[in-house]
Amino acid sequence: MLISAVRTLVSDGKLQLAWRCGQGTCGACKVRLEHAASGSMTLLGSKERNVMIRHAGLAANSPLLVTDTPDLVRLACHIQINSDLTIYVG
């Protein structure tokens, strides 16, 4: 998971990314991503979608299949790393 990959950067003060729960439910680890597959469709997990509706402004009627763009807010604790990516925090 992305959150595991950045823990050292956060603990060393090199990345300002907060999270509280570690279980994917608090919505604190919001990020935006840019990677080779940006612009394609991505399937949000139902848990991530529900947390994003409560904490990240995702519309309640949003589908699970969404366009993956750098504007899409995601939760770092739900993201599997499959390729190099750029992370935008804040």
Side-chain angles (χ1 to χ4, degrees), residues 34-68:
E34 190 170 5
H35 51 90
S38 290
S40 63
M41 299 302 284
T42 192
L43 185 63
L44 298 175
S46 58
K47 185 176 182 181
E48 180 181 20
R49 179 185 169 274
N50 291 340
V51 173
M52 303 253 313
I53 289 169
R54 289 193 319 269
H55 298 290
L58 190 66
N61 62 348
S62 294
L64 290 175
L65 190 62
V66 296
T67 305
D68 188 0

Side-chain angles (χ1 to χ4, degrees), residues 14-28:
K14 296 178 182 175
L15 178 65
Q16 298 299 314
L17 178 64
W19 67 88
R20 294 185 295 271
C21 69
Q23 304 299 314
T25 59
C26 73

